[in-house]
């Protein structure tokens, strides 16, 4: 694989066409190569890379790997092997079409059946984005807001290794303290550069019950409605809604 | 000199202890922190910058402390300070960023940082199990369950609504199988922090913290340890060691800050120091030969300190010497002791099994 990529380089970060990727024919290893058991013939030049990408994309391990990631995202930390296999088959069958692959996933009983489907914990970035969206927040998405992601260890593009931030719930459960704080600060107008109008949200939703339905995607339980009503302040009710267990999951 | 402390020679594991990492960013000169006064090469290569024998604070006859680190001597005498000269990583780029990254990851191609893996593997959890003093998590803590960045206790408050929110939140999370325990721990932490904000911290009178960032951070960490809030790993930074120019003026205030902070921290913790280990590390040391600006340039081996229970005490590890043939690359202290050996041994004492590094 490394031989196929010879000749590709990145222009310096200063000067003409900075940072552009370019191919230098004379620095390319033009001979034939063997990748994953297949021969890439001599003389393809920059098209070696297309061959490699086609090979990797069509490799059975890729389908299983991506299907596993999608299933962990939408189903469970440890999805059933048969579920992963079904999604992988849809990926292979469709030649890697994401729509067909996801359709197969969403048709699985693991996804549809309320008895087996469990809510998944939002990771901090998801939590933050969903809170901003649900509250119709105006934000400059600048440092004061991103500081919450730093504090929860989920700053964008900062994970040092290619495996990426963990997808499973366990490492993120203990970020609840900062989620509570973000909920209170957001609703209380204490995040510089980001504003939320809690009173307007509540009046638009019609009632605490409506607000809960808007945030949770379902009507509130009796306990949830009682707790939201008891606070008697739109900001506090919104903070409680964003900090509630039902808003931590998707 | 004795061999590095190994798993066989150390006593049983420390339960529920705390590992604190103080990172000296910028590449601190090990030859100034812990001058090898018994090595003639030191005085030959550092005619202007060497610490004079008469001023150095002897440790074991061969190595000494810089006089600005004198407050650490009683800890060394009590076996509570371990000194590992010629220590570093196998990163030879001499680039601050690459070397710091590699050190905080604890090696190439591992998931997250070494403290993150330590906390994950150890099953530690809780809202205050991993704390970075500062505004962002350092690489070393990434991947830790619930690690947070913190500068003051005031930051962890829900504001005016806190009193009215804690009760209902407790009720709503009651019986939540997945999140209930984490939520109750978070609410408990908020209540405790609220109490700590009301009660002034009273370190013992002889814990003389300095009026600087490192001391403020160590004092906060000591308080969290003393309150038994479940702190398992903490990180602090002391930046500014990149002494290309006028090294003495650059390093002396930093060394005084480091010594004052660590000595006060040890007194503040008292008997709890037996369950606490402080690793003081830097990304690389500096060239043996001094440059024309009374400074030194990026090098390789520096010194690593372990304060507290996790180290065997004394000066440990191999000393490669400063003879011309013993130097590495363009004239640097050779890395005779891999930092991972030292850090690994400390984490192992704190219960890391296998996956610690």
């Amino acid at each position: 694989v490394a031989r196929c990529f010879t000749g590709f380089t990145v222009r310096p970060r200063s000067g003409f066409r900075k940072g552009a990727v370019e191919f230098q024919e004379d620095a390319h290893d033009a001979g034939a190569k063997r990748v994953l058991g297949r021969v890439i013939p001599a003389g393809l030049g920059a098209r070696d890379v297309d061959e490699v990408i086609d090979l990797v994309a069509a490799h059975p391990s890729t389908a299983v790997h991506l299907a596993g990631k999608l299933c962990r995202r939408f189903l469970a930390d440890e999805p059933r092997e048969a579920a992963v296999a079904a999604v992988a088959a849809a990926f292979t069958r469709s030649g890697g079409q994401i729509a067909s692959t996801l359709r197969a996933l969403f048709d699985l009983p693991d996804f549809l059946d309320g008895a087996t489907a469990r809510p998944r914990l939002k990771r901090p970035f998801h939590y933050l984005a969903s809170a901003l969206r649900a509250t119709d927040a105006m934000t400059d998405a600048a440092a004061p807001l991103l500081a919450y992601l730093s504090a929860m260890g989920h700053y964008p593009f900062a994970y040092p290794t290619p495996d990426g931030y963990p997808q499973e719930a366990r490492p993120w459960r203990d970020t609840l303290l900062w989620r509570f704080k973000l909920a209170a600060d957001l609703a209380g107008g204490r995040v510089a550069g980001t504003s939320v109008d809690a009173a307007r949200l509540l009046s638009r939703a019609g009632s605490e019950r409506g607000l809960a339905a808007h945030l949770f995607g379902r009507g509130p339980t009796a306990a949830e409605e009682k707790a939201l009503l008891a606070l008697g302040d739109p900001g506090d009710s919104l903070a409680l809604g964003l900090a509630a267990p039902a808003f931590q999951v998707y | 000199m004795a061999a590095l402390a190994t798993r066989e020679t150390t006593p049983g594991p420390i339960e529920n202890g705390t590992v604190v990492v103080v990172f000296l960013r910028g590449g601190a000169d090990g030859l100034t922190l812990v001058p090898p006064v018994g090595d003639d090469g030191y005085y030959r290569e550092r005619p202007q910058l060497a610490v004079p024998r008469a001023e150095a604070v002897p440790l074991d006859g061969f190595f000494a402390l810089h006089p600005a680190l004198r407050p650490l001597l009683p800890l060394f005498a009590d076996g509570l300070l371990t000194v590992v000269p010629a220590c570093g990583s196998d990163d030879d780029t001499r680039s601050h960023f690459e070397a710091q990254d590699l050190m905080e990851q604890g090696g190439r191609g591992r998931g997250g940082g070494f403290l993150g893996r330590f906390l994950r593997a150890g099953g530690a959890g809780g809202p205050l199990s991993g704390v970075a003093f500062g505004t962002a998590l350092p690489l070393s803590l990434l991947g830790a369950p619930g690690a947070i960045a913190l500068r003051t206790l005031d930051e962890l408050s829900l504001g005016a609504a806190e009193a009215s929110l804690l009760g209902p939140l407790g009720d709503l999370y009651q019986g939540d199988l997945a999140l209930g325990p984490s939520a109750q721990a978070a609410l408990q932490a908020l209540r405790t922090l609220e109490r700590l904000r009301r009660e002034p911290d009273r370190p013992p009178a002889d814990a003389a913290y300095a009026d600087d960032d490192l001391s403020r951070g160590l004092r906060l960490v000591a308080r969290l340890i003393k309150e038994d809030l479940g702190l398992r790993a903490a990180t602090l930074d002391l930046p500014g060691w990149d002494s290309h120019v006028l090294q003495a003026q650059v390093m002396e205030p930093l060394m005084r800050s480091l010594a004052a902070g660590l000595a006060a921290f040890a007194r503040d913790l008292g008997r709890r120091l037996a369950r606490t280990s402080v690793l003081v590390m830097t990304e690389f040391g500096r060239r043996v030969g001094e440059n024309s600006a009374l400074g030194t340039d990026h090098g390789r081996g520096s010194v690593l300190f372990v304060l507290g229970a996790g180290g065997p005490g004394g000066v440990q590890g191999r000393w490669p010497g400063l003879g011309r043939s013993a130097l590495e690359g363009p004239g640097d202290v050779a890395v005779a002791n891999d930092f991972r050996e030292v850090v690994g041994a400390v984490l192992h004492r704190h219960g890391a099994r296998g996956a610690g590094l």
Side-chain angles (χ1 to χ4, degrees), chain A:
Chain A
V1 172
R3 288 178 57 210
C4 294
F5 277 80
T6 51
F8 280 93
T9 188
V10 180
R11 293 193 60 85
R13 282 162 185 272
S14 59
F16 182 61
R17 294 185 62 230
K18 59 182 171 188
V21 174
E22 54 183 44
F23 179 67
Q24 294 171 353
E25 186 85 54
D26 53 348
H28 181 68
D29 175 350
K33 297 107 183 164
R34 177 176 282 274
V35 175
L36 293 169
R38 286 266 294 275
V39 173
I40 294 183
L44 289 184
R47 280 182 293 134
D48 274 7
V49 170
D50 300 326
E51 294 288 317
V52 171
I53 290 171
D54 284 349
L55 263 175
V56 170
H59 198 276
S61 308
T62 303
V64 173
H65 178 69
L66 293 178
K69 287 190 87 152
L70 288 169
C71 288
R72 280 192 297 279
R73 166 104 180 144
F74 288 106
L75 300 179
D77 280 354
E78 288 169 29
R80 284 190 310 127
E81 249 173 65
V84 178
V87 176
F91 180 88
T92 307
R93 215 165 35 238
S94 66
Q97 291 301 312
I98 192 70
S100 322
T101 307
L102 284 175
R103 202 170 294 127
L105 195 160
F106 298 148
D107 279 343
L108 287 170
D110 311 66
F111 184 80
L112 294 172
D113 182 355
T116 51
R118 292 261 176 277
R120 313 274 297 123
L121 180 68
K122 295 172 186 172
R123 297 192 293 178
F125 185 90
H126 187 166
Y127 175 72
L128 175 78
S130 64
L132 293 173
R133 197 171 280 174
T135 54
D136 257 344
M138 293 294 292
T139 182
D140 58 5
L145 184 73
L146 295 179
Y148 289 86
L149 290 178
S150 295
M152 292 188 273
H154 201 200
Y155 197 87
F157 308 115
Y159 203 70
T161 45
D163 54 337
Y165 286 107
Q167 177 75 56
E168 70 270 23
R170 188 179 149 343
W172 304 113
R173 269 182 218 145
D174 289 316
T175 56
L176 279 175
L177 195 154
W178 272 88
R179 294 178 193 226
F180 296 166
K181 181 168 163 54
L182 175 60
D185 289 353
L186 197 60
R190 288 190 299 274
V191 183
T194 300
S195 61
V196 163
D197 188 341
R200 183 157 164 268
L201 269 177
L202 182 58
S203 79
R204 225 168 42 181
S207 63
E208 275 79 2
R209 188 178 173 77
L211 181 68
H214 170 66
L215 294 176
F216 304 158
R218 58 156 173 77
T221 63
E224 284 165 349
E225 189 175 3
K226 182 164 158 264
L228 288 170
L229 277 169
L231 287 169
D233 172 82
D236 292 357
S237 296
L238 181 60
L240 183 64
L242 295 173
F247 197 71
Q248 309 306 320
V249 295
Y250 64 96

